[in-house]
Amino acid sequence: MSRRNLARFGLLIALGFLLANVVASFHAWRFTHFTTESGLHTANPEQLSGPQKLWVLLTGIKNPKPLNHARPPFPYQTIYLTSPNGRLESWYSAAPHARGTVALFHGYTSSKGKLLTEAATFRRLGYSVLLTDFAGNGGSEGSVCTVGHHEAADVATVVRWLQRRPGAVLIYANSMGAVATLRAEAELGVCPTANLLECPYGSMLETAQSRFRSMHMPSFPMANLLVFWGGLENNFWAFDLDATRYAAHISTPTLLMWGTADPRVTRQETDAIYAALSGPKQRQDFPGSGHEPYWWKHKQLWERTMEGFTNSISSHLSDNGFSTTTSALVHYQLQR
């Protein structure tokens, strides 16, 4: 190859790399910043046709701020808490003679209004509930969503507010909310009584890669560039957003749940998180369920799992707090 052709080839490589970074930075911004435009969020990658996938790759996702389209059917009051990310809007419902309080946290492009069935179930089990919109979502301030990193500070704000009140504090969280919970406990010093976590992704890089897999496209290097720019644009190193690493620092009794047909969170990711958890733990898989509420397809199994786990926690609560021994959870797991 001549020197001139070599220079042209090098220029093409440089231009391609520059273009890839421009596209990645644009997509990362759209992915982590909600807009005030009306309309529906772009459908999940696995639901898009070929031309629709190409259009999304060219223009980015449509990402309007999630809203609460439903209100609790049970008595509640709206409260506001101040997080480092801004003012959070929460719905608090006190249960008579409560066994404790369950703090509920939603996933990406969702809101607290999507967790009303779960909240009603915990109320029937004797718990007060507190549902919260992460910053940027629903009735909370802001427009930024970091898919679990900054949201950990919102989890910390909510749990510490509840811990100033009497009673146990349990966390129920799914997807992004579950990752935010793990980071809040591993890096921000949050210590709830127990966790009930649905489908946390393994790491930010893995969840970016899953988006490309869902579109049947190679993930390298665009997934890596998306993670790089998503962190840079939001002032954190997104490659360190890693639920498996967080789990290794958590001794909180934890129920980990996963749907066997989940297109976004793999069995390998879930197995790694479960293996890393250092405290008492229980695993429940839901056959045929995707990245969705498990009560949709397995209502009885999901309700039985919630009741069994919360009963095992309650049985080991005392006036002096929770005893983090493994025997109760192991006994419950073997007796199911």
Side-chain angles (χ1 to χ4, degrees):
M1 182 181 292
S2 69
R3 183 175 299 179
R4 178 178 295 181
N5 288 337
L6 187 61
R8 288 175 178 173
F9 181 72
L11 179 60
L12 286 175
I13 293 295
L15 288 175
F17 181 73
L18 177 62
L19 179 61
N21 276 273
V22 170
V23 171
S25 65
F26 171 71
H27 279 267
W29 183 270
R30 292 289 294 268
F31 194 78
T32 58
H33 290 75
F34 296 124
T35 69
T36 57
E37 65 187 54
S38 60
L40 298 175
H41 182 273
T42 300
N44 294 328
E46 57 271 14
Q47 299 172 321
L48 298 175
S49 66
Q52 288 173 326
K53 291 176 182 177
L54 179 60
W55 180 251
V56 169
L57 287 172
L58 293 174
T59 64
I61 61 172
K62 187 176 182 181
N63 216 8
K65 182 174 180 176
L67 302 176
N68 291 298
H69 296 290
R71 297 281 170 172
F74 42 79
Y76 74 98
Q77 59 179 309
T78 301
I79 65 171
Y80 296 94
L81 303 174
T82 302
S83 162
N85 300 317
R87 190 180 74 164
L88 308 178
E89 183 183 87
S90 299
W91 293 333
Y92 178 69
S93 178
H97 312 294
R99 302 163 67 183
T101 302
V102 178
L104 294 94
F105 297 103
H106 60 81
Y108 178 66
T109 65
S110 188
S111 66
K112 61 183 181 295
K114 297 289 184 68
L115 295 172
L116 297 181
T117 296
E118 291 86 343
T121 298
F122 289 118
R123 278 180 50 83
R124 287 196 298 272
L125 293 175
Y127 288 88
S128 300
V129 294
L130 182 67
L131 304 93
T132 301
D133 285 321
F134 283 121
N137 298 260
S140 294
E141 287 185 338
S143 60
V144 174
C145 175
T146 61
V147 203
H149 187 274
H150 294 355
E151 289 76 16
D154 298 343
V155 173
T157 296
V158 169
V159 172
R160 287 166 181 159
W161 183 82
L162 286 173
Q163 288 178 331
R164 293 196 292 268
R165 309 163 71 89
V169 177
L170 284 68
I171 294 179
Y172 178 91
N174 59 51
S175 192
M176 178 186 79
V179 175
T181 296
L182 292 171
R183 179 173 182 261
E185 295 179 30
E187 296 191 344
L188 304 184
V190 174
C191 297
T193 306
N195 298 319
L196 300 90
L197 305 180
E198 293 187 345
C199 56
Y201 59 82
S203 69
M204 189 71 257
L205 180 58
E206 286 173 309
T207 198
Q209 290 169 336
S210 77
R211 289 265 166 177
F212 284 89
R213 287 197 302 268
S214 297
M215 300 178 77
H216 304 288
M217 296 185 61
S219 62
F220 183 83
M222 289 304 296
N224 302 70
L225 291 175
L226 277 172
V227 173
F228 171 77
W229 283 105
L232 187 66
E233 292 167 350
N234 295 287
N235 302 311
F236 73 103
W237 185 245
F239 290 99
D240 284 346
L241 185 53
D242 188 331
T244 305
R245 182 172 61 84
Y246 300 148
H249 300 282
I250 292 172
S251 58
T252 304
T254 298
L255 166 65
L256 181 63
M257 293 168 278
W258 177 69
T260 64
D262 195 325
R264 297 185 220 167
V265 177
T266 66
R267 180 181 295 275
Q268 289 76 18
E269 289 174 80
T270 307
D271 289 347
I273 293 171
Y274 187 71
L277 288 166
S278 60
K281 56 189 175 183
Q282 180 189 325
R283 169 85 172 263
Q284 179 63 61
D285 291 351
F286 292 84
S289 288
H291 205 74
E292 61 192 7
Y294 300 135
W295 55 264
W296 282 4
K297 294 179 180 176
H298 298 282
K299 189 171 188 293
Q300 291 185 346
L301 174 59
W302 180 82
E303 290 181 344
R304 189 166 65 246
T305 302
M306 299 303 99
E307 183 175 10
F309 185 79
T310 54
N311 283 345
S312 71
I313 296 299
S314 293
S315 69
H316 282 72
L317 285 171
S318 66
D319 293 339
N320 295 323
F322 180 74
S323 175
T324 55
T325 59
T326 60
S327 59
L329 294 182
V330 172
H331 175 75
Y332 168 66
Q333 198 168 13
L334 293 174
Q335 294 299 313
R336 292 178 63 249

